[in-house]
Amino acid sequence: MAFHSCSERTASSGAPLPDVLGPPRVAVGKAYSLGLMLGRQGAQLTLTGEFDQASAADLDRVLVSLDQFTGAVEVDMSRVAFLDSFGVRPLIEATRRRAQIGLPAPRLTGCGRPVRRLLEAAEIGGDPHLDVQAWDRLNDRGSRWLAGGSQRLPASEPSTDGETSDRY
């Protein structure tokens, strides 16, 4: 993929780019930055630092702006030091939105240990695409657990047909 420097601030069509990036953000002692390079075939978004509730809105804003580009969106996760469910939610929602409008899902690359640990524990993929349906099942389980007022998370056990079922 051939990328242009984001300092050019115009798409290959010559149209001005949306002003979605600024200086690195700092919130509650956690630093993060979002780097964007646009090319003829798509975009590369580089995440650096900690992605949690403090950074989720900025990440979401950039990903929403990329929905106007029909090419591939590659998300370089190699510099992510921390990722939680707040940080992964904008990536899931971008995957969902792009599928609904017929665009390719964001492709995650360079997933280091902090990222892989969350993606594997939540069983939501990320190699290279996130599994929106698995995320929705995970959220449904959590919602049912919270609605039931249980003090423990439901255990999963094999059912008679070999599938996994939730036990409450």
Side-chain angles (χ1 to χ4, degrees), residues 81-98:
F82 177 81
L83 179 71
D84 67 9
S85 62
F86 287 104
V88 82
R89 183 180 306 271
L91 296 165
I92 289 285
E93 294 307 322
T95 301
R96 185 187 319 272
R97 271 192 322 275
R98 291 180 69 82

Side-chain angles (χ1 to χ4, degrees), residues 8-9 11-12 43 45 62 73-74 78 80-81 91 96 100 104 112 117-118 126 135 137 146 154 159 161 166:
E8 293 179 54
R9 306 305 297 162
S12 57
L45 178 61
V62 171
V73 174
E74 182 177 301
S78 64
V80 173
L91 296 165
R96 185 187 319 272
Q100 289 172 346
R117 187 173 38 220
L118 173 69
W135 173 264
R137 285 190 304 271
L146 289 172
S159 66
D161 62 357
D166 294 331

Side-chain angles (χ1 to χ4, degrees), residues 92-167:
I92 289 285
E93 294 307 322
T95 301
R96 185 187 319 272
R97 271 192 322 275
R98 291 180 69 82
Q100 289 172 346
I101 57 178
L103 296 175
R107 183 175 191 269
L108 304 186
T109 63
C111 296
R113 187 171 181 222
V115 174
R116 282 194 323 269
R117 187 173 38 220
L118 173 69
L119 299 179
E120 289 169 4
E123 299 177 351
I124 56 172
D127 188 20
H129 303 287
L130 293 172
D131 185 340
V132 173
Q133 292 174 337
W135 173 264
D136 291 343
R137 285 190 304 271
L138 181 65
N139 281 331
D140 289 345
R141 265 182 76 197
S143 296
R144 287 190 311 238
W145 174 75
L146 289 172
S150 175
Q151 296 300 312
R152 293 178 41 143
L153 284 173
S156 293
E157 62 183 12
S159 66
T160 57
D161 62 357
E163 296 294 317
T164 300
S165 63
D166 294 331
R167 178 185 62 195

Side-chain angles (χ1 to χ4, degrees), residues 18-21 25 33-38 42-47 51-52 55-77 80 83 85-99 101 103-109 128 130:
D19 188 19
V20 295
L21 298 177
R25 313 279 188 196
S33 67
L34 305 162
L36 180 61
M37 292 193 310
L38 299 173
Q44 181 178 27
L45 178 61
T46 301
L47 308 183
F51 288 84
D52 53 17
S55 56
D58 287 335
L59 177 55
D60 187 56
R61 195 170 12 265
V62 171
L63 290 167
V64 166
S65 73
L66 290 175
D67 289 346
Q68 67 183 309
F69 297 103
T70 58
V73 174
E74 182 177 301
V75 183
D76 179 358
M77 308 287 286
V80 173
L83 179 71
S85 62
F86 287 104
V88 82
R89 183 180 306 271
L91 296 165
I92 289 285
E93 294 307 322
T95 301
R96 185 187 319 272
R97 271 192 322 275
R98 291 180 69 82
I101 57 178
L103 296 175
R107 183 175 191 269
L108 304 186
T109 63
L130 293 172

